[in-house]
Amino acid sequence: MTFESKAIRDAFPALCEGAAHFDAPGGSLVPAVVADAVRDALASAVCQRGSNTRAERRTDAIVLAARQAMGDLLGADPAGVIFGRSMTQLTFDLSRTLAKTWRTGDEIVVSRLDHDANIRPWLYAAQRAGVTVRWIEFDPETSEIEVEDVTAQLSERTRLVAITAASNLIGTRPPIPEIAAKVHEAGALIYVDGVHNTPHAFVDVAEMGADFYACSPYKFCGPHLGVLAAAPSLLQTLDPDKLLPSVNTVPERFELGTPAFELYAGTTAAVEFLAGLGGDPAASRRARLEASLAAMGEHEDALRRVIEARLAQHPRVTAHSRAQSRTPTLLFTVEGMEPREVSARLGALDINVPSGNFYALEASRALGLGDAGGVRIGLAPYNSADDVDRLLDALDAIIV
Ligand SMILES: Cc1ncc(COP(=O)(O)O)c(C=O)c1O
């Protein structure tokens, strides 16, 4: 099955509306198998986890399957996979938990490139704990963060570095393994925002050196949930606020309230769907994921190069996505046109290309784009060459 095949696009019922979707970084479309898995879980007897009744055993199996699926996707120990409502919620929760271990005079480091979900929770926690915040800057000309930009902010007082594995605004992929090695040399922890990275990369949390890796299934064809992966041994050392009667085991003690079991089932289906897009059907799910993410990456990068080449022909267009290593996510601005006007005119043609700062507010300001940001083209496995032709022809007509 190639990525241009009808079979891939047929898997996504929403495509029958006829729109061309370049909005996946905000939330990808969902294949029917994922919607079916959510529906099936809701329609079957599911209550609380346990071993007495069929419903309890089914609920337990749904949870364990979802942890295993995320473990396979991220190369993480399933026993350290935490689910939450969103990455934002999980990050706020963990920031409060980690801050209990910080002392006045300690330091944390955040990055200007990041989505606000990996900045603001840490700033609030630092303020409450009396901890100093230091900033990693990126170069707006090259879009890059160099390892030295990080090491310059480290000291023996550093407790945590929060940084993205890929910018949802301009696609930059900082060199996380090298950065993680330096962070660990300084005796600190590294919290990696993998929300925008996970749909485009074969992730190996251990190889990356991330102590914490957060992502969101709704960005990779799954339901609206957040996931945080960490080594169970590290989670054992942490003491989150929780209800007294709820279990104190890891990872459960980090999951507040009754989980959205049906969305867990949908997450398993999404991982299974991704694994089915490439590789030898007899291979392990992890091996199939490696093959399919490589094939997806090639497909998306090929489309990205076509778009970049055409955008470069427009003298009024500035492309802001310039990093050597980047996701297929392009931010551009048009001289003399507001980003929202470009999006609105494309939207009127059923071509979904959103505009804004996409919550990467610090990055948008650092790029000189203020709060209005730019226009973002994001590619997904279901995008076709026809989608791209449609987009580029429309842009030629709009940007005269
Ligand atoms: C890079 C990045 N980090 C964090 C988030 C926040 O994720 P969630 O919506 O799961 O809180 C997003 C959402 O767009 C994102 O793109």
Side-chain angles (χ1 to χ4, degrees):
M1 193 157 55
T2 72
F3 278 84
E4 282 297 324
S5 74
K6 194 170 166 302
I8 295 229
R9 288 179 60 88
D10 282 352
F12 293 86
L15 285 176
C16 74
E17 272 185 354
H21 284 271
F22 296 96
D23 49 4
S28 57
L29 300 180
V30 167
V33 284
V34 170
D36 290 347
V38 174
R39 188 219 161 266
D40 290 350
L42 282 170
S44 53
V46 161
C47 184
Q48 296 286 340
R49 298 177 67 184
S51 55
N52 286 337
T53 66
R54 225 175 336 183
E56 285 178 354
R57 289 190 292 275
R58 181 180 292 122
T59 312
D60 205 50
I62 286 174
V63 172
L64 295 178
R67 294 206 206 286
Q68 184 62 57
M70 286 308 303
D72 285 353
L73 184 67
L74 303 178
D77 186 336
V81 169
I82 301 163
F83 286 96
R85 185 166 54 78
S86 61
M87 178 274 185
T88 301
Q89 176 248 308
L90 287 166
T91 308
F92 263 113
D93 285 352
L94 193 81
S95 69
R96 286 187 286 263
T97 302
L98 284 180
K100 291 186 195 181
T101 69
W102 299 342
R103 299 289 164 260
T104 311
D106 283 350
E107 297 177 358
I108 65 161
V109 182
V110 295
S111 114
R112 193 78 63 192
L113 186 63
D114 274 67
H115 187 287
D116 218 51
N118 202 27
I119 297 177
R120 218 57 52 184
W122 304 113
L123 300 197
Y124 283 124
Q127 193 179 26
R128 276 193 298 267
V131 162
T132 304
V133 177
R134 300 175 69 153
W135 288 82
I136 302 163
E137 306 292 342
F138 70 99
D139 182 341
E141 284 306 311
T142 62
S143 313
E144 304 277 10
I145 285 181
E146 309 290 348
V147 179
E148 299 70 45
D149 300 325
V150 180
T151 49
Q153 304 307 327
L154 299 175
S155 79
E156 70 278 6
R157 297 307 304 265
T158 311
R159 303 298 309 279
L160 177 93
V161 174
I163 188 167
T164 192
S167 158
N168 65 310
L169 188 68
I170 52 175
T172 303
R173 286 180 163 133
I176 297 295
E178 290 81 357
I179 291 171
K182 297 290 182 192
V183 172
H184 291 147
E185 268 172 39
L189 295 170
I190 179 166
Y191 186 97
V192 177
D193 176 356
V195 174
H196 185 62
N197 185 54
T198 309
H200 303 292
F202 179 63
V203 176
D204 191 316
V205 171
E207 231 169 62
M208 198 180 258
D211 296 299
F212 302 97
Y213 185 90
C215 63
S216 306
Y218 75 96
K219 308 287 193 184
F220 52 83
C221 304
H224 289 91
L225 272 183
V227 173
L228 178 60
S233 56
L234 173 59
L235 296 175
Q236 290 291 357
T237 66
L238 300 176
D239 176 30
D241 291 346
K242 60 175 274 300
L243 302 185
L244 194 57
S246 68
V247 291
N248 200 29
T249 47
V250 165
E252 287 80 6
R253 70 173 180 241
F254 293 87
E255 295 174 331
L256 304 179
T258 301
F261 298 118
E262 62 277 12
L263 304 185
Y264 285 37
T267 299
T268 305
V271 173
E272 200 49 64
F273 174 78
L274 292 180
L277 295 181
D280 172 2
S284 70
R285 184 163 57 192
R286 178 105 178 119
R288 286 184 286 132
L289 284 164
E290 183 167 18
S292 49
L293 279 151
M296 269 163 59
E298 269 174 40
H299 169 70
E300 293 172 353
D301 282 342
L303 297 181
R304 168 174 70 84
R305 284 191 291 274
V306 173
I307 298 170
E308 281 174 337
R310 273 276 277 284
L311 285 183
Q313 291 170 9
H314 285 282
R316 287 170 58 207
V317 167
T318 304
H320 301 276
S321 302
R322 302 175 190 159
Q324 287 289 318
S325 174
R326 60 185 192 270
T327 61
T329 300
L330 300 171
L331 188 80
F332 70 96
T333 44
V334 183
E335 195 193 327
M337 281 179 94
E338 288 296 324
R340 64 184 143 75
E341 185 189 343
V342 179
S343 289
R345 291 188 58 183
L346 290 169
L349 300 169
D350 239 357
I351 303 172
N352 297 19
V353 186
S355 65
N357 59 59
F358 304 101
Y359 285 38
L361 185 62
E362 300 285 346
S364 180
R365 290 177 180 170
L367 286 166
L369 303 177
D371 296 7
V375 187
R376 185 178 69 182
I377 301 170
L379 292 162
Y382 44 78
N383 282 125
S384 64
D386 280 352
D387 285 343
V388 169
D389 286 345
R390 207 169 138 188
L391 167 68
L392 294 174
D393 290 348
L395 280 174
D396 283 349
I398 288 169
I399 311 167
V400 280

